[in-house]
Every structure is written in structure tokens, then in C-alpha cells.
Amino acid sequence: MTVDPSILERIIPSAEEKERINRVADEIREKACQELARRNLDAEVRLMGSVAKGTYLCDPDLDIFLLFPPDFPSSRLEEEGLAIGDAILKGEKMYADHPYIRGIYQGLEVDMVPCYDICDTSCLQSAVDRTPFHTRFILENLDEKMRDQARVLKAFMKGVGTYGAEPQTRGFSGYLIELLVWHYGSFQSVLEAASKWKEGLVLGDGIKNQSMQGPLVVYDPVDRRRNVASAVHVDTFALFITAARAYLRHPSSLFFFPVPRTPLTMDEVKQRMDGRGSRLLTVSFSRPCINHENLEAQMWKAEEGLAKVLESLGFHVLGSAHVVEDGLIFAFELEDDVLPPVRLHVGPPVWVSEAERFLHKWKEMGLDRPTIKNGRWQVMVARDPRDAVSLLQGEKERISLGQNMDVESMCVHGHQDSLQADMAVVLSRLLDRRYPWEIPEPQAE
Amino acid sequence: MTVDPSILERIIPSAEEKERINRVADEIREKACQELARRNLDAEVRLMGSVAKGTYLCDPDLDIFLLFPPDFPSSRLEEEGLAIGDAILKGEKMYADHPYIRGIYQGLEVDMVPCYDICDTSCLQSAVDRTPFHTRFILENLDEKMRDQARVLKAFMKGVGTYGAEPQTRGFSGYLIELLVWHYGSFQSVLEAASKWKEGLVLGDGIKNQSMQGPLVVYDPVDRRRNVASAVHVDTFALFITAARAYLRHPSSLFFFPVPRTPLTMDEVKQRMDGRGSRLLTVSFSRPCINHENLEAQMWKAEEGLAKVLESLGFHVLGSAHVVEDGLIFAFELEDDVLPPVRLHVGPPVWVSEAERFLHKWKEMGLDRPTIKNGRWQVMVARDPRDAVSLLQGEKERISLGQNMDVESMCVHGHQDSLQADMAVVLSRLLDRRYPWEIPEPQAE
């Protein structure tokens, strides 16, 4: 089984497109060299990333690296790197280990990144110093045909929603995708293998360490202490397995080029909820001024933190979702959003000294006398309030949010209040459980 | 602080009472000797238990032991023991390690028990062979005054509901009570110590073994491998601590002679439930023909088993109780007895082979598509039925009951059906959470 030629045609850039990209890359490299000469700096300019490796899709980003000698002072590396990037790109300052400049040049997004030209990954000064080794490894180990296979796998990962190591996707980086093709040989064989993957898979040889806890470990062939798949979340891993199985069963272009999802209308949302009997809860926060990646990581953490507190209060979370819009919005589907009027409050064992205080307090406030169960005091107490909105508000200090999120801006909306037009996107994400490849093409009239 | 003389007077038998008891004991012993002689048997008759030890309360049981030589055949020991008991008591056959006869003689309950006259507890042939050693130990180590202290502690334990090692009480045996007095010196000092007891207490020296898991270990001074307190449940342990503290704070005769509890009327039951909002559930079974002790042990097991299944179904048990009447009845107080219409059904990890079967089944039956969470498939399903009665009935094969209980006779009653006159006793036990000493004396008119 091979990928349909009409699909390949849409994935692999044409000769003209390749030429255009290379021309732009050469132009920038030339300019950077001139800037370095003008400043009397002994550094090398090198094209990196997917364009250098020949594994890029349409409209790739360009990664231009400025390689300074290892003894070049770190503060000057930053300063000169930013100045050169700024002179050519007039872009924005971005942050990785070191700041760098991102801008647009002739319609392409360009990152200009200063790093150290080291001879060995054991002398790393920052994570970007590893990139030149990755580029070289792929160029030396993947021939033209395999690079195209990497492009196909990348397009598939993009289509099914597993591409990208950033917190939003928690998925497979470009380099990881290239290594998978190198390991298994082709797009098809990666998918066949993935359809049989199990959690805890290890590919390649390396030096195992404690932090390699994820569902997938792929040792970096240029640095055996590193897991290239460390960003892959178990749910992204499972999603890729699911997508691979689905594609092998019924291959289709929808895996590569899914139909964009139209958010559910509020009528559709209401229809789904009516038939079901579950309850909605939405929680919004003001949006902090931090970069998108960092914010996404905090969104995942907060979604988990909110769900945890809801569960600890006695609610059962059926599903959850989040979006970043003007504000941050989280949506939860709950079994029920009002708890029964009574609950059991479990206290300390009878023999500890706090027991007297517990008894004293609850003899008055309990609905009944405290009793002993499994050696502990317990007492029936009235639940007041009983609704999810008030209960969650009351526990807001206990929710583990992202560090830049403002708990004071938290606003909790009950079922009816959540069924508003401005919640359509987050509710759609919560309730539209179709995979990207399951969304049908619009019917021609 | 000493115990009020008017209380002591009610606890310690009078000289006349003692004389009467001794006379009856002598009489039975005499008769047993005659029976042995008549049968040409070389065995000794000895009075055991609380009467022999001088630690009995009013209307004690008499324990008459027939001590046979260790080489006497076990089958004949049974046969002759039963025949002699039967000849004197015309009583009922009871079962311990060996069968024995229980009957009434001049108004006193008498057990006539055959055992082996061994020289050392390491040569035990059955548990009753240990009894003569217990009797001798107490006689040698507790003087007249301390025996009376044991009587006071026994009366206290009886009053507060912690006396008796049988499954109904899960508490302190007579011998254990005597050892506590021996260990601490007096009734008062046992209570003072108990008010500071903690779970895991060990008294005396002995040979620890794996099975000594309870809240209290008291090594048997006549057999260091044995925990005399092995029957003490953690809740009985906690109850005794609580009673000791309460008595030391406000001593009263109510701890020794509690006012009998009048079951709540159904009106009182309804009143309590109305104010509270929780829900009742009762479960009844036909009564199997087994002895009371064995049945009580099975009742505790079944109460726990029923509560466990209710919790696993999603209900929250606030309290439970049981009674043995014409049938077996269990009562539960639940937070709520109807669950929400939807629930999450968590399936296997995506990568196991059962996953395909799960998907296949729930794609049709689920309320929505299965989704991946933490690497596992999960799906929202309609809960049907949703009420505790139907759900518990549906899970009856899964309930861990006592081995002689008939699951087919199980009958589950919902809230309204439980509010019937014939449930008064079990509901009273469930809802009247007062300790025995908290029930006030009826007011004189």
C-alpha cells in the first residue's frame, strides 16, 4: 500500500516551491554573513531545521543559526545575535534558553538563533547547540526518498493532531518524526508499527534515567542521554495509535487534510445536552500577558487542577476542555451539579489529641452525634451550599492553577449561564468528540 | 476516686448469693464424679470460668470441665463427655472445637465441657485445654480485692457494650478483663490508662506473629504465642476508650446499669429522616439455621459486603446497622438513592487487544463517541436503572455475604418501603446513635 499520488502531490513541495524557499534562505544567509563581517565577528551562518533537512511541508519556517566559537562570551552572543536578527528581520524577541529574533522575510517566518559551535553534544551550553547535530544526522542518514517519507508522516501527524512538541499539542516534534522514519524505514511501516505500539515503548539505545517516564522513549542518536519523545503525552501517543489503525483500515486524504471543524451552534449544543441529562460548568479567568506556549502549559495544568477539586468536592467529571480567547475558558461536563443535602465528614482516630476538638466542634454543628467507624470519628453534616458554582468558588484557594493565572479573576458559570453564545467554542471543543479525520467533507449541493 | 458503694453493692454478689452459687456448683460436681465412677472413667471434675476465679457477676454461667488424661481417645472423650453432660443437664449439644452440653441447673446456665488434662499449653489438643491454665493463673495472681476490681470492670464493659469476644460484640473476653486488672492494678487505673490508649498497643511479653494485626495485643501469660485480645475490633477498642474518658469526666451508675433502649417509634424515625434529607435502604434475607455466634459473624461480613457494593455503584453510605429477627435485616442510610442519568465508563488502555472489542461494543451503546483519557478508552453511558433498589438487586451475585446466607432470598426495600413498622428495630439501631450511658433515666411523674 502506498500513499495516493494525489495526496503526495499536495504534501511534497514542487520544484518551483523548493527553489523559491532555497532562494529566500540563501538571501538571508548572505545578509547575515554581511552583518557578521561588518561587525568583525568570527561566526558561521548555517541553515537549520526542516528546510536544511529537506523534510519541510508547504510554507515552512526558516531556521537560521549563527554559530559562535565556544569561548565567545555568552552575554555578547545574546547581544550580537539579537542585533543581527533585528537588522535583517525587524522582528520580535522570542525566548528559549537564550533570546532570539523571529520575523517575516518574503512571506516566510524566520527564526534567527545564535548558538555555540561545539564539537560534541557533551559540551552543550544550551539546548539550541544540539540543533546543528540533529540537522547533520538527518542529512547523513535519510536519503531523498526517506526525507519525503518524513514529509508524509509529518503531514499525517499534522492532520490527526499529534504534530508538535509544544504544550498545546503535547505531541511529536519534527525531529522525532524524522527519527521514526529512519527507524522504521517508511511512512507505511511507521503506521504499521504504531498500530501495535504499547505504552512504555523504547526505541534505540541510550542511557536510561529516572526522568524518562513517558509512554515513549526515543533515544537521541546524537545525545544518548536525551529522550526525543519526552514531550509526548500518553493521550497523544494513544491518539496516534488510534489514527494509525484507522488509516490502515480505511486510508483517506482526510487524515492529511482534515475538513476544518465548524464549531457547534448553541442550538446544537443544547440539543446534545438535552438528550443526555448531564450538566455543564464553565470557568473563566482573565488572560495574563505571557507567551502562548507558556500559557498553554498553564491551561493544561489548570484544567487538571479544576477537575481535581471538582472531584474532591464530590462531583464526577465526564469531560473537560479549554480555550484561550480574550479570556481563558474551561468547560466541564458533570454527572450532576447539585450534591445531596447530607454528607459524611470523617474526622481523626479516636485516640489522637485532635479528636477532642473535633468532637467539641461537631457535637453542635453535626446533623447527628459523631460516631466511630474504623476507629475514626465521623459525623453527618449538612451540605450548604450544594451547587457546583458556589462550592468551586468556595474552594478557589485550593485549586492548582498556572502560576500566571489570577485566581481573583475566576468566574464560575452554572449550566444555564454556560449555554451562552460566547461559550460556543469551548463547548464545541468539549462536546464535539469526533477525531479530525472523522469530519466529513461538505456535500456538494 | 473510687466507685460509688451503691454501685459496688449491685455488682459484687452478696455472701448469700455466693453461697448459693457454690452450693449449686458443688452439687453438679458431685453428680459428675458419680457419673464418672459409674462409668469407670479416670477423669477429674473441675469448676472453671468466672465462678472458679471469683470474678463473676450476678447469675453467672457455670463451667464444669471434665479433665481426661491426654492419652484418652478423642472419639471416646466426645462420646463420654456428651453422655455425662446429658445425664445431668438434659441440655442442648453445643459446638466449639469439640461438642459439649449446655443446660440449666437450678436456674443457672451450665456448660459441661470435656477436655484433656495437659501439663503444659505447648501440648494443647484443643482450645478448651487452655482454660484450666487461665483459671489457675487468675487464682494465683489476683487476690480477693483485685477479683472484685475485675468484677467492676466487667460490669462496666457489659454496661457500655464492649464485653464479650463473640462476633456480636467483637469485644473483651472475661479473661482479658481480668488480665487488664492484673496489668494495671485496679478498675480505676485500667480506665485511666485506656483513656490514653492508642491503636497498636501491646501489653505483656510474647512471641509476635503475623496474625497479630488488631488494635490491641495482650499476650496470654500462660501461652505467649496467643493474643488474648484478638477478638477486639478497632471500633470496640475505640468505644472503650470513649467510654473510659466519659466515665472519668462524669462518673455515673449509667455506665454499669444503662437504661434499656426503647426502639424509636416509626413517627420518631420519620421525624429524624425528614429533617435530614438522606435516604433509607433496607435489605432482608431469610434466616439460615445456624447458631447465633456464627450467624452474627456472617452478619458483619454481609453488612460490609453490601456497603462495599453500594459504594462501588456510586452511592455514599452514611451509616449501617443489622438485626437478626425472624429474618436477617440490614439498614443503610444513603446520601441519595438515585444516581444521575449519565456516567463515565472507563475501558482498557488503547494499546491492549481488548480495546477493539470495547470500541465495537460502545460505539453503538454509548451516549457519545468513546474518547481517550490517560491512555484509556472511556465512554459516556446512560445509567439505567438509576435507583439503589434495582442497582443493588442487579449486582447481587457480586455481594460478599456470609456463607450460609441465601442470596436468592434477598429483598431490597427503598426509602418509602423501609419506613414500615417491621423495620423499627433495625432503623432504631441505625438512627439512635446514643451510647448506652447516654440514655437518660425515665423521669418520675
Side-chain angles (χ1 to χ4, degrees), chain A residues 432-443:
Chain A
D432 183 359
R433 293 194 157 89
R434 290 174 299 175
Y435 292 114
W437 62 89
E438 293 179 327
I439 298 164
E441 308 209 53
Q443 298 296 312

Side-chain angles (χ1 to χ4, degrees), chain A residues 261-281:
Chain A
R261 211 181 279 262
T262 321
L264 300 177
T265 65
M266 283 318 292
D267 278 344
E268 289 170 315
V269 166
K270 283 175 195 164
Q271 223 168 37
R272 280 181 195 227
M273 294 309 298
D274 278 350
R276 200 179 271 183
S278 55
R279 308 289 291 175
L280 295 174
L281 185 87

Side-chain angles (χ1 to χ4, degrees), chain B residues 391-410:
Chain B
L391 282 166
L392 188 60
Q393 282 282 12
E395 294 290 304
K396 67 182 178 186
E397 300 306 331
R398 224 161 47 81
I399 306 167
S400 150
L401 298 171
Q403 62 166 340
N404 296 105
M405 289 174 60
D406 175 18
V407 70
E408 291 312 322
S409 72
M410 183 172 99

Side-chain angles (χ1 to χ4, degrees), chain A residues 197-199 235 245 276 333 335 342 350-351 368-369 371 374-375 377 380 433-435 438, chain B residues 197-199 235 245 276 333 335 342 350-351 368-369 371 374-375 377 380 383 433 435 438:
Chain A
W197 277 357
K198 284 181 180 16
E199 190 185 28
D235 287 349
R245 289 177 185 167
R276 200 179 271 183
E333 187 176 359
E335 269 194 18
V342 218
V350 166
W351 40 84
D368 205 336
R369 294 161 185 259
T371 51
N374 297 327
W377 285 111
M380 239 182 272
R433 293 194 157 89
R434 290 174 299 175
Y435 292 114
E438 293 179 327
Chain B
W197 276 357
K198 284 181 182 16
E199 190 185 28
D235 287 350
R245 288 177 185 166
R276 200 180 270 182
E333 189 176 357
E335 271 194 15
V342 219
V350 167
W351 41 84
D368 205 337
R369 294 162 185 259
T371 51
N374 298 325
W377 285 110
M380 239 182 275
R383 216 185 236 118
R433 292 192 158 90
Y435 292 114
E438 292 179 327

Side-chain angles (χ1 to χ4, degrees), chain A residues 69 131 186 243 341 377 389 392 429:
Chain A
T131 306
S186 71
W377 285 111
V389 173
L392 188 60
R429 202 169 278 187

